[in-house]
Amino acid sequence: MKSLALLIFAFTAGVVATNYTPNWNSLDSRPLPLCSRYGSEWIWWKWRNHSQSDVVEYLDKHFHGQSYAEFAPQFTAEHLDPDGFADIVAASGAKYFVLTSKHHEGYTLWPSATSFQWNAVDVGPKRDLVATLKTAFKKTDVHYGLYFSHLDWYHPLYISDDKLNRTDFVDLHELVNQYEPDIIWCDGEWERRDTYLKSKEFLVWLYNESPVKDKIVVNDRWGEDTLGKHGGFLTHYDHFHPGQLQPRKWEDAMSLDKHSWGYRQNMKASDVFTVKEVLLKLARAISCNGNLLLNFGPNRYGQIVPIFEERLRSIGNFIKPNSVAIYGTKAWIHQNDGDNVWYTSSVRNDHGLDPRRIFNPQDQENTIIYAWIFDIPDNGTVNLPSVGQTDKTKVAILATGTAVNHGSIGKGITVDLHALPLKKLPSTDVIILKIEYATSLYNPLAPQVTFTIV
Ligand SMILES: *[C@@H]1O[C@H](CO)[C@@H](O)[C@H](O)[C@H]1NC(C)=O
Ligand SMILES: *[C@@H]1O[C@H](CO)[C@@H](O)[C@H](O)[C@H]1NC(C)=O
Ligand SMILES: *[C@@H]1O[C@H](CO)[C@@H](O)[C@H](O)[C@H]1NC(C)=O
């Protein structure tokens, strides 16, 4: 059984009220509101379709004769502590939480009108998990979002609806009207056209009339040809990273377990990304105008297992003293210096700057650069070729405020990290430097920016 939870770090967002019409040009013009593989979630497909013999063998051996549907009563969520669950998520520093309300096999975590005996109230936990967790998250400052798969692999009504090309079956309106999520993260779009899913009509309703029209944020999974093109922020494919600054907000959707989005009983510690690896993905994403979506699967008792809790809290411990380098920042004119140094930036004063700019220009007096250093060289000094020094330049370790020495090297700057305040640092995995008054003159590597700002 799976119930996935997804966390989002870093979101920038203002709403411009407009009347949207059912075509992608209009819908895409809406700005984002400010503000072992066994047991993985594809198992029913692999088993029922006999498409993967090791899955079939595994299930025959351990669960002889049991059908997938018979697992549902074992998903009890009996140890779910909603406030404790929300607390762990909030402690991670995530700004959005996205609950998998329905995955590809159709089981809904709310008592859906189209999912009789295949939802969390009728079978399993015997409670409305979408509502329960919403109540808990409303006590935190983490936005509450819902993941929804368009697929319903084996539902006879869904299959016949598909044959008739009608789309009476899939109904996201119910979820939006009942739970008023802050984000809708769709999936399972690849088998259907957006016309079949009536996605444009849905989005027009969502943006113009729905109860969440001013705050809702959506992704790009609205039909077989929408990925990376249409909708709100662009997810492209799972684990996406473009490697360069993007004109539209995008997202790296990744899972803490390297091999599965759903909880696995046979997961090993080494299967779980380290804190440093997650922070590197976070830095790479926000340096290029992206977000990070970090997935973990709670177990069938509704718990976030300790290894995931430890990762989430440790990530939060790093983020807390470094939060100004993340939230409310924008990309900088340079995204990185090699694989180990990534940049974000903020401005002291945004007067005269387009609020929807995708990166901050470099201005000696106004721009603050945050350099994320992932590997301090053995010699204790790190070179930042993209940053130019002036007489006024100040460099400090962000988390502690400790000033550090620096000098010019070539046209860049070299920073002396011999004397780190080790006991005060939240982590030595990553050091974020706050750099003020770097030159605005020297800018040789600046990207040729030809993007239109959306
Ligand atoms: C998988 O099984 C379902 C139901 O038995 C069937 O409709 C579908 O076409 C199968 N898919 C593949 C790829 O075999
Ligand atoms: C299915 O319905 C859509 C929208 O009504 C229409 O554009 C499309 O041509 C139909 N497809 C088929 C195969 O009938
Ligand atoms: C320190 O090591 C880094 C990485 O190997 C190198 O780029 C840099 O030039 C070295 N600095 C000094 C002062 O030796």
Side-chain angles (χ1 to χ4, degrees):
M1 209 61 223
K2 47 105 270 304
S3 63
L4 313 185
L6 309 150
L7 312 182
I8 297 179
F9 297 87
F11 233 109
T12 55
V15 174
V16 181
T18 321
N19 246 356
Y20 297 97
T21 52
N23 64 73
W24 286 122
N25 280 344
S26 167
L27 293 165
D28 290 342
S29 72
R30 179 177 179 266
L32 290 178
L34 287 174
C35 62
S36 121
R37 314 296 176 92
Y38 303 120
S40 171
E41 66 285 356
W42 279 80
I43 201 161
W44 198 15
W45 180 264
K46 289 170 182 165
W47 181 15
R48 180 149 162 187
N49 288 59
H50 294 266
S51 66
Q52 202 175 308
S53 60
D54 57 336
V55 167
V56 176
E57 269 165 39
Y58 178 87
L59 288 161
D60 281 350
K61 187 170 162 211
H62 296 280
F63 303 99
H64 184 66
Q66 194 165 327
S67 75
Y68 184 82
E70 285 173 288
F71 285 102
Q74 297 174 30
F75 171 46
T76 60
E78 66 195 86
H79 297 304
L80 173 65
D81 163 13
D83 292 336
F85 191 106
D87 177 65
I88 294 171
V89 171
S92 76
K95 289 295 185 190
Y96 283 72
F97 170 73
V98 181
L99 177 71
T100 300
S101 68
K102 166 183 172 288
H103 200 246
H104 309 332
E105 32 62 303
Y107 182 89
T108 59
L109 297 195
W110 83 101
S112 164
T114 52
S115 197
F116 177 68
Q117 290 293 322
W118 192 232
N119 66 70
V121 172
D122 288 343
V123 61
K126 304 275 169 71
R127 66 204 281 204
D128 181 340
L129 294 178
V130 176
T132 302
L133 286 169
K134 179 180 172 179
T135 304
F137 276 91
K138 287 294 153 192
K139 297 177 201 161
T140 71
D141 61 2
V142 180
H143 293 280
Y144 190 64
L146 296 172
Y147 164 109
F148 177 89
S149 173
H150 298 289
L151 295 171
D152 207 323
W153 277 336
Y154 301 113
H155 197 304
L157 288 179
Y158 180 76
I159 292 164
S160 67
D161 187 81
D162 190 27
K163 281 194 190 118
L164 296 171
N165 191 22
R166 284 185 11 198
T167 336
D168 296 335
F169 183 70
V170 187
D171 197 9
L172 260 170
H173 296 78
E174 178 186 311
L175 207 52
V176 172
N177 284 325
Q178 282 184 30
Y179 302 100
E180 302 189 2
D182 298 319
I183 183 164
I184 297 176
W185 209 104
C186 280
D187 196 13
E189 81 298 343
W190 50 84
E191 284 185 358
R192 310 284 186 284
R193 292 171 308 281
D194 61 48
T195 48
Y196 169 79
L197 294 169
K198 298 195 174 78
S199 292
K200 293 189 290 264
E201 290 74 9
F202 171 75
L203 290 171
V204 165
W205 171 79
L206 190 69
Y207 295 171
N208 288 345
E209 289 167 48
S210 79
V212 293
K213 67 187 171 73
D214 294 332
K215 65 170 185 178
I216 192 74
V217 177
V218 304
N219 70 347
D220 57 349
R221 302 189 178 186
W222 298 101
E224 62 181 5
D225 198 29
T226 63
L227 205 60
K229 291 184 190 159
H230 301 305
F233 60 89
L234 307 179
T235 64
H236 295 266
Y237 41 83
D238 297 346
H239 311 285
F240 173 72
H241 189 271
Q244 59 189 33
L245 187 62
Q246 297 294 297
R248 278 178 70 167
K249 186 62 86 179
W250 60 277
E251 185 169 272
D252 176 358
M254 64 167 289
S255 54
L256 261 180
D257 176 352
K258 293 173 194 167
H259 303 300
S260 175
W261 296 79
Y263 176 73
R264 293 184 302 146
Q265 285 183 337
N266 56 345
M267 181 180 74
K268 297 186 181 71
S270 58
D271 293 335
V272 182
F273 279 112
T274 64
V275 172
K276 183 172 183 168
E277 287 167 334
V278 174
L279 291 174
L280 178 58
K281 285 170 183 286
L282 175 65
R284 293 189 334 164
I286 60 182
S287 299
C288 296
N289 195 31
N291 292 325
L292 184 73
L293 181 79
L294 180 63
N295 160 281
F296 63 88
N299 66 12
R300 67 191 174 98
Y301 303 109
Q303 296 161 307
I304 301 176
V305 294
I307 193 164
F308 290 154
E309 176 176 355
E310 184 277 328
R311 293 293 193 275
L312 295 172
R313 290 195 187 277
S314 299
I315 291 164
N317 288 343
F318 175 83
I319 285 179
K320 213 182 244 171
N322 287 300
S323 62
V324 296
I326 302 170
Y327 313 123
T329 61
K330 290 198 184 290
W332 188 46
I333 54 170
H334 302 283
Q335 279 59 65
N336 60 315
D337 274 323
D339 290 340
N340 282 315
V341 179
W342 293 84
Y343 295 108
T344 56
S345 72
S346 62
V347 290
R348 289 179 213 284
N349 180 342
D350 62 6
H351 187 71
L353 292 169
D354 182 340
R356 300 208 160 269
R357 67 195 179 281
I358 57 174
F359 63 92
N360 284 320
Q362 175 54 26
D363 178 294
Q364 179 176 319
E365 301 302 313
N366 201 29
T367 308
I368 300 172
I369 306 161
Y370 302 103
W372 298 52
I373 316 294
F374 283 86
D375 194 15
I376 299 170
D378 291 344
N379 62 24
T381 61
V382 62
N383 295 341
L384 307 176
S386 296
V387 180
Q389 189 173 251
T390 67
D391 293 347
K392 283 176 79 177
T393 301
K394 279 168 53 179
V395 182
I397 294 164
L398 178 62
T400 60
T402 318
V404 291
N405 292 329
H406 53 88
S408 280
I409 181 161
K411 288 179 172 174
I413 189 173
T414 180
V415 179
D416 180 357
L417 296 176
H418 278 100
L420 291 174
L422 288 174
K423 283 192 163 175
K424 289 191 199 150
L425 286 174
S427 153
T428 49
D429 283 345
V430 194
I431 308 289
I432 300 185
L433 300 175
K434 176 182 180 182
I435 306 171
E436 297 168 280
Y437 308 108
T439 182
S440 36
L441 292 176
Y442 178 67
N443 192 9
L445 303 174
Q448 292 298 308
V449 180
T450 52
F451 306 126
T452 32
I453 294 167
V454 293

